Structure formats: structure tokens, C-alpha cells
């Protein structure tokens, strides 16, 4: 080849991608300073690029040495567009004799789930209804306005202050579910608009950081209930969870958005309660909201299986770590449709108003392959949280006393 051809980017990409590898070779590159992964049988070296990954270094690093195809498709609104940015990272492909799935995964199950995803896309179940989310945002803002208007018109008696607190806690909890929608890119067609609105809802309406949430939450979805990879169960042994952990025992803050929430809150409530009274009010609201949030999010995960990395396929991994709560109008609203936790984890970019449509299809696929699909009542979901914590505590105590 002449020098002009050798300098051509497409020709260089071809040269880099002409090598072939076995799964054994790929799996050796799973360290912090040496990371390869596979997408659609193509092998990529992400060692240096992982630091620039828009979703964060950790979430992509969790798939080092593995097949990341299913996660890649699940997390990106337009995988074909993202593939353009993978070209410089391409170093080869799997040898023709190698299976498409690693770690002995069930190829038929993986193919059936891909067929289900193709059907979901063709039926438009990944497209959001703007009116649904507009009305949802409207009911949050209405609750905020009513809480303030209540004090403005009728005063600050104990009973009215308590009612105001309940309304604010409700608006905060519902804003939490709405920021979750935008954070998962499930509302707008363009990622950029989702990110902008996510910052507004989580920052201005809740006083939290979008970057912090993204950093933690995408890891949770990538490897749910996997020790050292799911930050939701990494408690540094202050608390011990599951059956195994008890016996084994800088994120940039979106300061401007967060401060805008507290500035707005104190401007609204300082005239009624003063500085310390306003601090007490927001603390009580956070107390109520945090209990709401924890019960809803943990009843679908905490009682489920927790373990170290087992390199399962996407459907099996998500179903082992999640369960559903029965559908009802109240349960849908109370949980922000996270009573369909299974469907949400399988299709994280799906708008929540479509979960109930895909649920029968997911259940049928699980029955076909013998994958447990759990649905509980709201009451059982909450009592199972307590049972799970008690079991973990008993295991820890037994290990402590007999170690």
C-alpha cells in the first residue's frame, strides 16, 4: 500500500479490525489499566476512552472482558449513531469459531430477548407521549402551589403546617419519579433535551445533582444487586445486605441548579417560618419523602438475590435482581410506575406509560425459558423488605458469634 492509503482513516480502521480473538483472550483484559469489551462480536479496547465515556467510567468498566452487546443496546437511544464513535476503538473481532455469547450464556434466550426488543421497537413502545409527562409535571407544580397557597390564605397553624408538609413531600416524591424518567432518556427523542430537563427537575425541583444520580444509577442498572458493582448495595459494611455479604464482610455537583431549589424554597417559606423554621420544614419534608422513596425502590430489589458477578445474560441478570408489584392506579402513581421494575430494568429507556403493555410479553418469554417472574402485592413487597433485613441481620450475628 502507498503512503496515502496507509494514512486513510478507513484503511487504518480496517487494519485495526482485521485481528481475531478468542473469548479467553478478551477476558484477560478486565483490569482497570487494561479493558476490552465485545459488542456484536466486535472487540474494542476502551482502556483510555473509558474516562471520557458520557455515562461515566465505572458503568462501562463493569463490562470489561465481557460481551456488552445487550447493555449497549439497552442504554442508548440510538445505538447506530453511537457506533460511529466506536470505530477508533475497534481492534478486531471474535474468531469465527467463537460463540457470540460469553461465559456459557443461553444463546436461544439471548436471541429470543432480542426478538422481543425488535418487536417493542416496531410497535412504538419506546416512544413517549408528551402529554402524559406534561400533565405529570403539572400535578407536581400544582401541589407546590397549593402547599404555599394554603399557608398564604389560612395561616401557619400546626395542622395546616402538617398538611403543607405532606403536600410538599408528595410533590418531592413525584418529582423524584419524574427526574428518573428524564435521567433514563425516556421522555424526549433527543438525549440533549432529556439531559436539560433532567437537570431542571432534579436540580431546581428537588435540589439534587443530575451528575451524581447518573453516576450511581446507571451502575445499578448495568449490574443490579452485584456486589462491588451496584452502588445501591455497597454500604462499606456499615450495613450488610443479602445472604452472602453478612458473612463475608468525585462527583461534580450541579451546584447552581441545586442552590436554585433552596433559594426558591427559603424565599417562599422564610416569611412564614423564619430561617430556622424553614430549615425544620424542609428537614421534615425530606424525612417523609425519604421513607416513601426507600420503601418503593427497595421492595423490588432488597428481597431479591444478591451475589458477586456471575456473568449472566441481560434478561436472567435483571430478573434475578428485580420483582414487580401488582398494577393498580394507586400503585402506578405511588411508585412512579416502578411497580413494573422488571420491565423498567429490561428496557431502561422505555417511557413508563408503556410498561403494562410489554409486561405480558416479558412474562411469556420468562415462562418459555423457566426464568422466575415475581409479582407481589404492595403489602407483601414492604413486609419482604423487613424479612430480608432480619435474615441478613441473623446471618451476620451467626457469623459474628461463630467466627
Amino acid at each position: 500500500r502507498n503512503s496515502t492509503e496507509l494514512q486513510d482513516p478507513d484503511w487504518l480502521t480496517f487494519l485495526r479490525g482485521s485481528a481475531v480473538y478468542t473469548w479467553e483472550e478478551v477476558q484477560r483484559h478486565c483490569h482497570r489499566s487494561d479493558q476490552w469489551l465485545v459488542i456484536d462480536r466486535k472487540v474494542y479496547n476502551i482502556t483510555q476512552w473509558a474516562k471520557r465515556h458520557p455515562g461515566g467510567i465505572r458503568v462501562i468498566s463493569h463490562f470489561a472482558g465481557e460481551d456488552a452487546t445487550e447493555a449497549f443496546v439497552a442504554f442508548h437511544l440510538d445505538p447506530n449513531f453511537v457506533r460511529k464513535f466506536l470505530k477508533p476503538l475497534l481492534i478486531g473481532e471474535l474468531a469465527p469459531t467463537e460463540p457470540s455469547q460469553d461465559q456459557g450464556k443461553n444463546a436461544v434466550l439471548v436471541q429470543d430477548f432480542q426478538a422481543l426488543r425488535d418487536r417493542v421497537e416496531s410497535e412504538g413502545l419506546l416512544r413517549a407521549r408528551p402529554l402524559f409527562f406534561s400533565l405529570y409535571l403539572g400535578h407536581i407544580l400544582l401541589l407546590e402551589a397549593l402547599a404555599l397557597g394554603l399557608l398564604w390564605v389560612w395561616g401557619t397553624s400546626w395542622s395546616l403546617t402538617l398538611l403543607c408538609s405532606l403536600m410538599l413531600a408528595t410533590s418531592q416524591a413525584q418529582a423524584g419519579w419524574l427526574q428518573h424518567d428524564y435521567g433514563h432518556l425516556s421522555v424526549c427523542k433527543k438525549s440533549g433535551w432529556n439531559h436539560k430537563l433532567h437537570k431542571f427537575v432534579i436540580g431546581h425541583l428537588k435540589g439534587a445533582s443530575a451528575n451524581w444520580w447518573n453516576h450511581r444509577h446507571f451502575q445499578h442498572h448495568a449490574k443490579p444487586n452485584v456486589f462491588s458493582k451496584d452502588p445501591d448495595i455497597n454500604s462499606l459494611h456499615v450495613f450488610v445486605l443479602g445472604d452472602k455479604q453478612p458473612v463475608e464482610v468525585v462527583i461534580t455537583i450541579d451546584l447552581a441548579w441545586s442552590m436554585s431549589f433552596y433559594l426558591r424554597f427559603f424565599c417562599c417559606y422564610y416569611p412564614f417560618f423564619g430561617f430556622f423554621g424553614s430549615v425544620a420544614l424542609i428537614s421534615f419534608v425530606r424525612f417523609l419523602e425519604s421513607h416513601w422513596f426507600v420503601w418503593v425502590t427497595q421492595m423490588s430489589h432488597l428481597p431479591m438475590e444478591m451475589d458477586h458477578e456471575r456473568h449472566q445474560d441481560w434478561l436472567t441478570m435483571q430478573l434475578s435482581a428485580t420483582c414487580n408489584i401488582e398494577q393498580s392506579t394507586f400503585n402506578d402513581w405511588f411508585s412512579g410506575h416502578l411497580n413494573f421494575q422488571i420491565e423498567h430494568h429490561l428496557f431502561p429507556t422505555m417511557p413508563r406509560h408503556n410498561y403494562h403493555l410489554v409486561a405480558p410479553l416479558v412474562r411469556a418469554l420468562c415462562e418459555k425459558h423457566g426464568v422466575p417472574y415475581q409479582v407481589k402485592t404492595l403489602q407483601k413487597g414492604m413486609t419482604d423488605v423487613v424479612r430480608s433485613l432480619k435474615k441478613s441481620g441473623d446471618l451476620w450475628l451467626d457469623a459474628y458469634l461463630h467466627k
Side-chain angles (χ1 to χ4, degrees):
R1 292 284 174 173
N2 60 44
S3 58
T4 303
E5 287 177 312
L6 291 176
Q7 292 174 5
D8 180 70
D10 291 334
W11 175 246
L12 292 174
T13 298
F14 171 77
L15 290 176
R16 285 195 299 265
S18 60
V20 293
Y21 301 96
T22 64
W23 275 116
E24 184 179 358
E25 290 174 302
V26 172
Q27 289 161 3
R28 293 195 200 107
H29 301 269
C30 61
H31 308 289
R32 187 179 184 89
S33 59
D34 181 18
Q35 298 182 339
W36 292 8
L37 54 73
V38 176
I39 299 174
D40 289 328
R41 298 188 62 86
K42 302 292 185 182
V43 182
Y44 300 93
N45 184 343
I46 63 166
T47 306
Q48 298 301 321
W49 185 80
K51 300 172 184 177
R52 305 194 301 273
H53 179 233
I57 184 174
R58 290 188 180 181
V59 66
I60 194 171
S61 297
H62 290 336
F63 291 95
E66 299 181 21
D67 178 34
T69 305
E70 292 185 295
F72 176 80
V73 173
F75 284 128
H76 296 100
L77 283 180
D78 188 353
N80 291 327
F81 174 76
V82 180
R83 280 187 177 91
K84 298 177 182 178
F85 300 93
L86 293 176
K87 288 184 178 180
L89 311 177
L90 180 67
I91 59 172
E93 61 182 23
L94 293 175
T97 55
E98 291 292 305
S100 295
Q101 285 77 40
D102 61 336
Q103 310 287 344
K105 295 174 183 174
N106 185 337
V108 177
L109 190 156
V110 172
Q111 291 167 6
D112 284 351
F113 180 70
Q114 181 57 50
L116 173 59
R117 183 174 183 89
D118 292 341
R119 179 177 175 180
V120 164
E121 291 178 357
S122 66
E123 294 183 2
L125 297 181
L126 296 181
R127 291 199 294 269
R129 297 201 305 265
L131 180 61
F132 174 90
F133 292 102
S134 297
L135 292 175
Y136 203 89
L137 174 60
H139 107 283
I140 293 168
L141 299 177
L142 179 62
L143 283 168
E144 295 258 354
L146 289 175
L148 185 61
L150 191 71
L151 303 179
W152 188 271
V153 176
W154 285 291
T156 56
S157 67
W158 280 103
S159 58
L160 290 175
T161 301
L162 177 60
L163 181 57
C164 171
S165 301
L166 292 173
M167 296 172 74
L168 288 175
T170 300
S171 71
Q172 285 293 290
Q174 294 299 322
W177 309 143
L178 184 60
Q179 69 82 20
H180 179 263
D181 297 316
Y182 287 114
H184 274 292
L185 314 179
S186 63
V187 182
C188 303
K189 293 181 180 179
K190 299 291 185 179
S191 297
W193 278 108
N194 281 299
H195 290 311
K196 289 181 177 65
L197 290 167
H198 184 218
K199 291 179 184 294
F200 168 75
V201 176
I202 196 174
H204 186 66
L205 296 186
K206 287 193 61 62
S209 165
N211 287 328
W212 167 82
W213 184 90
N214 288 335
H215 174 76
R216 292 181 60 88
H217 196 67
F218 288 143
Q219 291 184 75
H220 161 69
H221 270 267
K223 298 287 183 178
N225 283 12
V226 175
F227 294 135
S228 80
K229 294 187 176 181
D230 181 355
D232 285 5
I233 64 170
N234 287 343
S235 48
L236 301 178
H237 305 306
V238 176
F239 300 100
V240 287
L241 306 172
D243 294 352
K244 294 184 173 60
Q245 198 180 48
V247 298
E248 292 178 356
V249 175
V250 177
I251 301 300
T252 301
I253 301 299
D254 302 341
L255 190 59
W257 278 115
S258 300
M259 291 305 296
S260 73
F261 166 81
Y262 291 101
L263 179 63
R264 175 174 59 86
F265 184 88
F266 279 97
C267 284
C268 289
Y269 291 97
Y270 180 86
F272 298 102
F273 300 106
F275 177 77
F276 292 107
S278 298
V279 170
L281 177 63
I282 189 60
S283 299
F284 184 56
V285 169
R286 290 287 188 235
F287 172 80
L288 296 174
E289 177 213 354
S290 63
H291 281 74
W292 186 335
F293 170 81
V294 168
W295 283 104
V296 167
T297 56
Q298 295 312 305
M299 64 185 176
S300 295
H301 289 301
L302 196 62
M304 303 302 291
E305 200 169 330
M306 297 183 187
D307 206 340
H308 295 282
E309 178 64 77
R310 291 184 294 171
H311 304 287
Q312 297 171 306
D313 62 85
W314 186 254
L315 184 138
T316 303
M317 176 178 67
Q318 301 296 347
L319 268 291
S320 69
T322 57
C323 67
N324 280 0
I325 301 300
E326 289 181 344
Q327 182 190 20
S328 69
T329 301
F330 175 78
N331 286 354
D332 290 352
W333 174 83
F334 180 72
S335 67
H337 288 85
L338 292 181
N339 49 327
F340 288 98
Q341 193 73 230
I342 291 173
E343 289 68 31
H344 170 56
H345 267 254
L346 291 176
F347 306 99
T349 62
M350 178 179 285
R352 62 160 104 165
H353 51 68
N354 289 335
Y355 291 158
H356 72 285
L357 299 175
V358 75
L361 305 178
V362 172
R363 185 194 285 265
L365 180 60
C366 290
E367 290 176 354
K368 176 181 177 180
H369 291 279
V371 178
Y373 182 102
Q374 293 192 43
V375 182
K376 305 176 181 179
T377 63
L378 183 63
Q379 180 181 359
K380 188 175 191 316
M382 291 185 173
T383 55
D384 279 354
V385 170
V386 178
R387 291 194 188 100
S388 178
L389 292 172
K390 183 180 185 303
K391 183 178 181 181
S392 297
D394 290 343
L395 287 168
W396 174 86
L397 180 61
D398 181 69
Y400 177 78
L401 294 176
H402 297 94
K403 204 163 186 176

